[in-house]
Amino acid sequence: MGLAFLPLGLAFGALVTQSGLDWWWAGLSAALVYAGSFEFLLIGMVAAVAPLASIAATAFMVNVRHVFYALSYPLHRVRGRVGKAYGTFALSDEAFALTSGEQARSWPGRRILGLQLLLHLYWVVGSIAGALLGSLIPDSVTGLDFALTALFTVLAVDAVRDLRGDLPTPVLALFSALFARLVFPGELLLAAFALFTLGLLARHLATRRTPSHA
């Protein structure tokens, strides 16, 4: 996971300096914002001196998916207010994927926080390195832009394996994504997550009400 964060951080850091901002903006954003794709958008908005209201609205639309992540994130295993606050702040897509799997159900809160901290550090280090050394990366280096796609592909494969034959769940996820793409192309993520959540709730209610037979 960290090996995927590094090239993404390099690309982000290089974008910061290419946008005319000082190199320390990369480290500051990576440490305090830590919002992945939104940070790429934020750089352009900061360079264009966008209004705070526009930045806030964009941040909400891009990161609203974290509301759905919170439904199954094991925050109850994290002790202390500081730990819970950091665990909530550092809840990234990758951290959610790793902590929601079957193997992670026995992980203590300390291990969960340690995982999130390491991912956070990978992002910060990669971003600073990209801001300071991005201009030294030759144009012949290819594949950096594919790191995120490859990472999410691996996470999706692992998630399907954890289902252990639960075919309806990935089918429901695929249907939700396709339906959202056709009907709500401008709000694909939000619509897909909402449809998927409603589908899971409906299936849970239907399964619970179905009488069992001996």
Side-chain angles (χ1 to χ4, degrees):
M1 194 71 69
L3 292 177
F5 267 40
L6 288 177
L8 293 174
L10 289 173
F12 172 70
L15 177 63
V16 169
T17 55
Q18 291 172 4
S19 300
L21 300 175
D22 293 329
W23 68 269
W24 52 265
W25 271 97
L28 187 66
S29 175
L32 300 182
V33 179
Y34 189 45
S37 56
F38 171 68
E39 289 185 67
F40 283 89
L41 296 175
L42 180 62
I43 294 303
M45 300 182 77
V46 170
V49 196
L52 289 178
S54 299
I55 295 177
T58 303
F60 174 78
M61 295 304 299
V62 173
N63 295 317
V64 70
R65 65 188 186 278
H66 286 232
V67 174
F68 299 95
Y69 292 166
L71 297 176
S72 57
Y73 173 68
L75 188 63
H76 59 281
R77 282 186 249 152
V78 179
R79 297 182 180 180
R81 293 183 178 179
V82 175
K84 291 181 181 293
Y86 179 76
T88 303
F89 164 75
L91 180 55
S92 61
D93 301 296
E94 296 78 13
F96 170 78
L98 291 175
T99 57
S100 61
E102 184 176 355
Q103 295 181 349
R105 292 178 181 175
S106 60
W107 289 359
R110 182 176 297 180
R111 181 171 182 177
I112 294 173
L113 287 179
L115 179 147
Q116 291 182 281
L117 178 61
L118 283 175
L119 291 178
H120 195 179
L121 289 176
Y122 271 117
W123 179 247
V124 172
V125 171
S127 300
I128 294 176
L132 294 175
L133 306 173
S135 60
L136 301 179
I137 300 176
D139 295 335
S140 59
V141 175
T142 59
L144 293 179
D145 55 342
F146 188 71
L148 185 61
T149 303
L151 172 62
F152 278 97
T153 300
V154 173
L155 292 177
V157 171
D158 288 342
V160 172
R161 287 176 176 174
D162 281 343
L163 294 175
R164 291 187 176 182
D166 183 12
L167 184 60
T169 298
V171 170
L172 178 61
L174 179 61
F175 173 79
S176 300
L178 293 176
F179 186 83
R181 178 67 179 86
L182 294 175
V183 182
F184 307 102
E187 305 295 340
L188 190 152
L189 272 179
L190 179 60
F193 271 114
L195 289 171
F196 184 57
T197 302
L198 290 175
L200 291 177
L201 290 174
R203 189 181 69 172
H204 173 71
L205 293 175
T207 303
R208 188 177 62 178
R209 292 176 181 177
T210 303
S212 58
H213 299 281

